């Protein structure tokens, strides 16, 4: 391949707005990234893309003419190979990890500090903590005794709270197995034990979103900012300190998203390299990209997400469709004439054939304890209900199918009134937070020495800057995606849509604001995107960058201050009752 052809093939990335092989490492606006890199390699500076669609179409032809080469049929959509060949700045590679890691350590401290307080089963811990322990005993959920107060016994260290028979439960096993890991390490009678796994994945998710934000927005600063905003969000902090399921939904959804984001970059790098090897053109349907290991890893993560709660299925659908649409865009930008057919034949069908079975396999694997048992709920249903129609299906699978039908029926018909139920319209603006724990005391009781009395609370109120700012940011992203065709805005909106929009179909069901923790990473990413817009592009003048930095930095500082303000009611600190009331900004928060 001639030097002119190689140069042309990798300059043509400029024709696609926001297109790049992988996470860039510049500290500037997300709308005109002048830097593109592989985060594992470092940073490289690039000229800015043309501002108009016409200019983007013309640029490859102009460059080709100047290089003396032939005009390409369509632009190639990646510069990853060139970034690898030219090398990068080691300092950025260091801070690309160091920044998110520093935030992770600080955020982890807040998640693990006094994790055992309060030493009580708070809110839905009453279900999942005991169920996790029963997994350690028999591999499935046991029903608990009704002749005693099982929560009181459990927290006092008496674990003899179960009957001999199974219990009917309505959520799959993954989250409960993860809770059981902490109970196995530290003991089921330890509140450290039953909250350890939640704190661990909550902490790890800070590092994950830092790296994801760096790759997505092309900025170490913005990636680290995303990690910081997630670390100081009240929803995320409280769920990271509570042994319930929703933090695990969030974790596996974010892990799947991150894997697919890496797959996008790797696939574009591979596509550019193979188009280069073919002389800079993409004939027919273009090259096959081979086995996509990061996509397969994403499928496993998403299968585990659905294995925590069925709401994870919406992340499966949204993110796998998003991944295939990225392939469509890549082949079109690479110059494949029949790009839609090519994306379906070369990428889409293969993606479905490989990812869907992996999702199902990961989900079914989480039921291993149920399959291995003989006494789990509905385990013998198929034996007692033989079928002439479906007799060829293994009895265990028919029993599991029937169990799932019962779970579905319960989940869609749950209409029991609850004082903390809320409508999904209110979630994004923190309309009705769910109180996990509240304990009031009078002066002279315990450590309370305030005449007005004292309060201890665990209330997952999201950081107002993150959520109210994120509400505005969603509108901005919709404009940038619809009018600016910014794929990064679309990726963030996909996470928001998967975690939030499906609940509008179940508005009559008893649902709660704390479900929103599943999509809080994408609220954070939306706000971070807009902070990048405020900060401005790297090429902007010093005054523009100064004022943009002050504006963006001020928002982050206010978020940190509010985190400090609300922290006592996140972690059950004993505070004067009037101080607790001062933090209830809205009547609906009480």
């Amino acid at each position: 391949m001639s030097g002119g052809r190689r140069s042309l093939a990798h300059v043509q990335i400029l024709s696609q707005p926001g297109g790049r092989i992988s996470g860039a490492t510049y500290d500037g606006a997300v709308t005109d990234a002048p830097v593109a890199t592989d985060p594992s390699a470092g940073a490289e500076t690039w000229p800015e893309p043309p501002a108009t669609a016409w200019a983007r179409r013309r640029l490859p032809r102009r460059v080709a003419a100047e290089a003396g080469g032939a005009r390409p049929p369509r632009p190639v959509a990646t510069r990853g190979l060139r970034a690898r060949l030219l090398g990068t700045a080691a300092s950025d590679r260091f801070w690309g990890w160091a920044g998110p890691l520093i935030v992770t350590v600080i955020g982890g401290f807040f998640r693990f500090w006094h994790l055992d307080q309060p030493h009580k089963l708070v809110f839905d811990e009453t279900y999942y903590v005991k169920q996790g322990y029963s997994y350690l005993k028999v591999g499935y959920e046991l029903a608990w005794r009704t002749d005693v107060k099982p929560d009181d016994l459990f927290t006092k260290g008496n674990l003899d709270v179960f009957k001999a028979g199974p219990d009917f439960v309505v959520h799959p096993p993954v989250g409960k197995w993860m809770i059981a890991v902490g109970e196995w390490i530290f003991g089921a009678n330890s509140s450290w034990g039953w909250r350890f796994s939640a704190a661990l994945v909550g902490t790890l998710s800070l590092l994950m979103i830092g790296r994801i934000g760096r790759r997505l927005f092309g900025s170490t600063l913005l990636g680290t900012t995303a990690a910081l905003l997630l670390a100081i969000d009240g929803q995320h902090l409280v769920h990271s300190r509570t042994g319930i399921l929703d933090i695990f939904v969030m974790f596996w959804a974010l892990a799947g998203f991150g894997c697919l984001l890496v797959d996008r970059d790797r696939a574009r790098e591979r596509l550019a390299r193979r188009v280069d090897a073919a002389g800079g053109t993409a004939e027919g349907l273009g090259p096959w990209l081979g086995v996509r290991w990061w996509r397969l890893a994403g499928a496993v993560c998403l299968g585990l997400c659905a294995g925590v709660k069925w709401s994870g299925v919406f992340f499966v659908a949204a993110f796998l469709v998003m991944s295939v649409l990225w392939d469509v865009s890549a082949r079109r930008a690479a110059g494949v004439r029949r790009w839609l057919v090519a994306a379906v034949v070369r990428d889409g069908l293969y993606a479905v054939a490989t990812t869907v079975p992996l999702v199902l396999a990961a989900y079914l694997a989480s039921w291993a304890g149920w399959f291995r048992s003989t006494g789990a709920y509905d385990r013998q249903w198929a034996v007692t209900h033989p079928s002439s129609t479906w007799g060829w299906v293994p009895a265990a699978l028919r029993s599991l199918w029937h169990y799932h039908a019962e779970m579905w029926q319960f989940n869609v018909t749950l209409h029991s009134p609850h004082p903390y139920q809320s409508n999904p319209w209110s979630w994004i603006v923190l309309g009705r937070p769910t109180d996990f724990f509240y304990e009031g005391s009078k002066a002279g009781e315990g450590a309370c020495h305030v005449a007005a009395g004292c309060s201890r609370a665990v209330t997952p109120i999201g950081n107002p800057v993150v959520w109210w700012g994120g509400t505005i940011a969603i509108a901005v992203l919709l404009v940038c995606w619809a009018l600016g065709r910014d794929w990064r805005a679309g990726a963030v909106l996909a996470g928001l849509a998967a975690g939030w929009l499906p609940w509008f179909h179940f508005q009559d069901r008893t649902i709660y604001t704390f479900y929103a923790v599943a999509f809080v990473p994408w609220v954070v990413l939306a706000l971070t995107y807009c902070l990048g817009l405020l900060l401005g592009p790297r090429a902007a003048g010093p005054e523009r960058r100064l004022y943009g930095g002050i504006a963006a930095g001020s928002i982050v500082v206010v978020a940190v201050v509010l985190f400090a303000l609300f922290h006592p009611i996140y972690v059950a600190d004993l505070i004067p009752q009037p101080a607790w009331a001062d933090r209830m900004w809205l009547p609906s928060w009480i």
Side-chain angles (χ1 to χ4, degrees), residues 26-53:
Y26 79 105
D27 294 330
V30 296
T31 51
D32 63 350
V35 175
T37 81
D38 183 292
S40 64
E44 177 185 0
T45 301
W46 289 82
E48 296 187 16
T52 65

Side-chain angles (χ1 to χ4, degrees), residues 16-103:
Q16 185 182 15
R20 51 182 168 78
I21 170 59
S22 55
T25 54
Y26 79 105
D27 294 330
V30 296
T31 51
D32 63 350
V35 175
T37 81
D38 183 292
S40 64
E44 177 185 0
T45 301
W46 289 82
E48 296 187 16
T52 65
W54 179 85
R56 288 194 295 268
R57 290 193 298 269
R58 296 289 298 173
L59 179 63
R61 296 173 180 270
R62 187 171 70 247
V63 173
E66 292 172 356
R71 292 182 177 181
R74 296 184 73 90
V76 175
T78 177
R79 14 175 153 136
L81 181 58
R82 181 175 176 181
R84 287 210 330 268
L85 292 174
L86 295 182
T88 58
S91 61
D92 186 74
R93 181 167 61 245
F94 171 78
W95 283 110
W97 279 101
L101 276 170
I102 290 170
V103 173

Side-chain angles (χ1 to χ4, degrees), residues 336-352:
V336 177
R337 293 293 181 185
R338 300 170 64 194
W339 47 269
L340 182 58
V341 175
V344 172
V345 173
R346 292 286 199 209
D347 302 311
L349 294 177
Y350 180 72
V352 171

Side-chain angles (χ1 to χ4, degrees), residues 437-443 445-459 461 563-584:
F437 169 80
Y438 181 85
E439 185 176 77
S441 56
K442 299 178 181 179
E445 292 181 354
C448 181
H449 304 292
V450 180
C454 299
S455 296
R456 296 176 68 210
V458 176
T459 308
I461 298 174
F563 173 73
L565 175 68
F566 286 103
H567 184 263
I569 65 171
Y570 294 154
V571 298
D573 283 348
L574 185 70
I575 59 175
Q577 200 280 336
W580 171 84
D582 288 342
R583 290 164 171 80
M584 299 295 103

Side-chain angles (χ1 to χ4, degrees), residues 379-461:
R379 181 63 182 83
Q380 303 301 323
W381 181 87
V383 175
T384 58
H385 296 78
S387 171
S388 58
T389 304
W390 298 98
W392 56 274
V393 177
L397 290 179
R398 286 196 293 122
S399 295
L400 186 64
W401 179 263
H402 181 265
Y403 191 179
H404 278 56
E406 291 185 288
M407 293 165 63
W408 171 260
Q409 182 65 21
F410 176 89
N411 278 303
V412 299
T413 58
L414 179 61
H415 299 297
S416 302
H418 193 282
Y420 286 105
Q421 69 185 76
S422 61
N423 192 288
W425 287 106
S426 69
W427 295 358
I428 199 72
V429 293
L430 309 176
R432 180 61 171 161
T434 311
D435 192 5
F436 282 7
F437 169 80
Y438 181 85
E439 185 176 77
S441 56
K442 299 178 181 179
E445 292 181 354
C448 181
H449 304 292
V450 180
C454 299
S455 296
R456 296 176 68 210
V458 176
T459 308
I461 298 174

